[in-house]
Amino acid sequence: GLWCLRMSLTPTRGCLLDLPWEDILLPHILCHLPLQQLLSLQRVSKSFQSLIQLYLANMRCFDSSQIRPAIPRAAFVNLLKENKVLQQLALQNCSDWLTDCELLPVIEQNHHLHQIQLKGCVQLSRHALVTISLSCPNLRQLSLAQCDWVDSLALRSLADHCKALEAVDLTACRQLKDEAICYLVQKCSRLKSLSLAVNANVGDVAVEETAKCCPELEHLDLTGCLRVKNDSIRVLAEYCPKLRSLKVKHCHNVAESSLSVLRSRGVELDVEPPLQRALVLLQDVVGFAPFINLQI
């Protein structure tokens, strides 16, 4: 594809633009080029501009991080104004300017979206999440990390309309309390990955309800959830046989007594066993790890 592209730009009159656009160029050549290069191609000629506009209108995945430097507001609006077939949308580096005004039209005309990444998009409002829930019934993955505007009412709308959700990142969504998380997991029982990290309002009630409602759960992030205690971790071990990883760093009320069952099952934990942790601290102090007979 790249060879054909270079040949088309040579004085010998290449054949790239003579190939069928929708059958060959879009699905087999342009899809392999970075978005940044595709946008540069628009400046080659009017024909290339038409080709790239057709590609953008039929693009299935849009990731703003592929455009360096950060994509301007006007460029974002122009790039996606004709697209109605998006399946994946990642806008995590648009936090400086992205508001409901730019995002909502894109969401409202793309009903096939199944992955949306809005990490750090702090200038949006709860209306963005309500629009997502009403427009994207097949949504499976959603990241709202560091979106402090997410409230319980908006999350309820998501739970009511997007029951196919498998992965939700609510890291640092500090307005959310146990009741909102419980409603989400009750409605979205297919969840395999959930992050509730850095939320001091989340406690045992939310964790226990998650365990009982989501038997397919594989990954749970509770980092910094200070209200989580041993009891809910034991419930998690009982009800989630498919759990593969659990993050409980800085959960000061979670002890090895509740983690040991998960550890024995091979669940990946982000805290070390007490003895291993003690050896590391001792090595930092004395400069070497002493020999200890662990069979005693």
Side-chain angles (χ1 to χ4, degrees), residues 19-28 51 54 58:
L19 294 172
W21 287 15
E22 295 189 20
D23 295 331
I24 301 297
L25 293 185
L26 299 187
H28 298 293
L51 174 63
L54 180 63
N58 290 275

Side-chain angles (χ1 to χ4, degrees), residues 78-218:
N78 185 62
L79 289 177
L80 295 181
K81 64 181 180 181
E82 302 294 335
N83 194 302
K84 298 181 181 179
V85 295
L86 273 179
Q87 296 179 3
Q88 302 176 38
L89 179 64
L91 303 174
Q92 62 268 32
N93 67 336
C94 299
S95 57
D96 290 343
W97 53 264
L98 186 68
T99 67
D100 292 357
C101 183
E102 294 81 29
L103 179 64
L104 266 55
V106 175
I107 298 297
E108 290 170 344
Q109 69 187 27
N110 283 281
H111 303 293
H112 303 289
L113 279 164
H114 58 77
Q115 293 183 28
I116 300 178
Q117 164 68 264
L118 297 175
K119 179 180 179 180
C121 294
V122 296
Q123 298 190 49
L124 298 174
S125 77
R126 62 184 304 273
H127 299 295
L129 187 53
V130 172
T131 300
I132 288 173
S133 65
L134 296 176
S135 303
C136 308
N138 300 315
L139 191 64
R140 295 199 302 270
Q141 298 181 27
L142 176 63
S143 175
L144 299 168
Q146 302 166 22
C147 293
D148 210 18
W149 45 267
V150 177
D151 61 15
S152 59
L153 289 177
L155 195 68
R156 277 177 166 264
S157 178
L158 179 73
D160 285 335
H161 297 92
C162 299
K163 294 183 173 65
L165 278 168
E166 296 179 356
V168 180
D169 188 346
L170 299 173
T171 299
C173 293
R174 297 182 179 89
Q175 289 195 57
L176 300 178
K177 299 181 180 179
D178 282 348
E179 293 79 8
I181 304 303
C182 289
Y183 192 87
L184 173 69
V185 297
Q186 289 166 3
K187 296 287 186 175
C188 302
S189 58
R190 300 182 190 177
L191 280 176
K192 296 181 179 180
S193 177
L194 177 64
S195 176
L196 304 173
V198 199
N199 191 334
N201 294 317
V202 170
D204 285 343
V205 173
V207 176
E208 291 180 15
E209 193 68 13
T210 298
K212 294 175 181 178
C213 294
C214 303
E216 302 296 316
L217 192 68
E218 297 178 2

